[in-house]
Amino acid sequence: MAAEISKYVTLPSGAKYPVIGLGTFTVFNATGEPGAVFEAVKYAIDIGYRHVDAARVYGNEGEVGDAIQAKLDDGTIKNKKEIFITTKLWDTHHNPKDMKENTMKSLKLLRVDSVQLFLMHWPFGFKDGDDMFPKDKDGNVIFSDHDYVDTWKAMEELVDAKLVENIGISNFNKAQTERLMKNARIKPCNMQIEIHPYFCNKKLVEFCQSIGMSVTAYAPLGNAGRTWKSADEPIIFDEPVLKEISKAKGKSITQVVLRFHLQRNLVVIPKICHTK
């Protein structure tokens, strides 16, 4: 008999974090038409999704917010709190003094008073401002000198102000996480990192889980549609072993791979539903 998999991860705050969510990264609109995220989120809610993962840098918080509002308006959901929303602090917004103002912009776009999970997208900052990738005259990205520990302390104040319910991190390594844990008043409750069959990220996953942090896998299906993928990179849907398992189990390769992640006690946020 297959092992039971819980539908939720319980965060330290008591919040129920759905283990399957909809990812909304469209490579900065390079892989989706305008309105695609709006339609995808509406459809996802219609078929039962109650977890949507967004980010300021994706440029689609507005579409996510509009879609959730549309599902409230048509009666599919009775309250926006039925949808667990994750969004992320972008690198150009690491300045602690601007934290609240920039977070309020995200909340306004999402059309909510607070989000359930707010992540620091990367452990480094770019030059302050709304140019998401500020560059110098030679085309090099301009970094800021904001310490991610100071940025985190400003995120803690967002929890105090009830603008975000839980805070976590993304794309940190073990040493960066350990330093943050030592200096945090509110410990990060979640780590979002790349995880898929070609990159299981085993050591970092085990470390995070050993200190009580849930782990969310982005690109859990390998992100075959990413614009920077080289022509010779493998695609999980072409893997013979996955085809064999898929046939033997009577499940799609997508279902097989997501089950593999879920059995590792991971949260998954696939972007689309493959049928192979």
Side-chain angles (χ1 to χ4, degrees):
M1 179 180 292
E4 285 291 322
I5 292 176
S6 174
K7 294 181 179 179
Y8 304 95
V9 167
T10 302
L11 300 179
S13 67
K16 299 296 186 182
Y17 182 28
V19 298
I20 297 178
L22 178 72
T24 62
F25 179 45
T26 59
V27 197
F28 316 113
N29 296 319
T31 59
E33 298 297 322
V37 169
F38 174 71
E39 295 297 335
V41 172
K42 287 197 302 177
Y43 178 72
I45 294 173
D46 282 340
I47 63 173
Y49 277 76
R50 292 297 182 264
H51 168 195
V52 179
D53 184 275
R56 182 68 177 278
V57 74
Y58 300 167
N60 58 24
E61 286 174 319
E63 288 191 42
V64 171
D66 289 347
I68 294 172
Q69 181 65 48
K71 292 292 99 183
L72 178 66
D73 292 343
D74 72 11
T76 303
I77 57 174
K78 304 303 180 185
N79 190 303
K80 289 184 181 180
K81 288 295 185 182
E82 292 179 32
I83 309 301
F84 190 105
I85 301 174
T86 299
T87 196
K88 309 178 189 76
L89 176 77
W90 184 236
D91 303 351
T92 55
H93 300 154
H94 275 216
N95 193 328
K97 72 180 182 65
D98 297 326
M99 179 68 65
K100 184 175 180 179
E101 177 185 352
N102 282 313
T103 303
M104 291 296 292
K105 290 178 181 178
S106 285
L107 297 181
K108 183 177 181 179
L109 288 166
L110 290 164
R111 303 176 68 167
V112 293
D113 295 325
S114 66
V115 292
Q116 287 90 333
L117 181 58
F118 190 57
L119 305 177
M120 192 186 309
H121 211 144
W122 292 90
F124 50 78
F126 295 158
K127 179 183 175 182
D128 295 357
D130 288 327
D131 178 357
M132 298 299 178
F133 297 93
K135 296 180 180 180
D136 62 21
K137 60 181 177 62
D138 297 318
N140 300 308
V141 173
I142 304 172
F143 289 87
S144 70
D145 59 359
H146 301 306
D147 187 326
Y148 62 82
V149 170
D150 294 330
T151 301
W152 182 261
K153 291 182 183 300
M155 290 174 61
E156 293 174 331
E157 293 178 5
L158 298 177
V159 178
D160 298 337
K162 301 188 184 305
L163 296 176
V164 304
E165 297 176 20
N166 303 277
I167 48 178
I169 53 181
S170 179
N171 300 305
F172 276 56
N173 62 29
K174 181 175 183 286
Q176 291 162 339
T177 304
E178 288 177 324
R179 177 172 178 256
L180 184 59
M181 294 292 283
K182 290 177 181 177
N183 290 280
R185 173 171 58 89
I186 301 174
K187 306 298 184 185
C189 68
N190 177 260
M191 168 80 88
Q192 186 175 129
I193 47 178
E194 181 178 1
I195 302 172
H196 48 75
Y198 297 126
F199 183 54
C200 288
N201 223 335
K202 184 174 185 289
K203 289 184 178 180
L204 188 54
V205 168
E206 290 178 348
F207 164 70
C208 290
Q209 292 177 337
S210 75
I211 59 173
M213 290 175 60
S214 59
V215 180
T216 300
Y218 71 73
L221 301 174
N223 196 6
R226 66 194 183 280
T227 56
W228 58 89
K229 187 178 76 70
S230 63
D232 60 347
E233 286 186 53
I235 297 174
I236 64 168
F237 303 106
D238 296 333
E239 288 293 340
V241 66
L242 289 175
K243 289 180 178 180
E244 290 177 14
I245 296 171
S246 173
K247 183 178 180 181
K249 297 296 183 180
K251 304 293 183 180
S252 69
I253 288 177
T254 294
Q255 289 173 310
V256 170
V257 173
L258 294 183
R259 176 80 186 196
F260 166 69
H261 295 315
L262 293 172
Q263 287 182 171
R264 297 178 67 201
N265 297 316
L266 301 173
V267 176
V268 294
I269 48 172
K271 291 202 296 292
I272 62 174
C273 196
H274 295 270
T275 58
K276 292 184 180 180

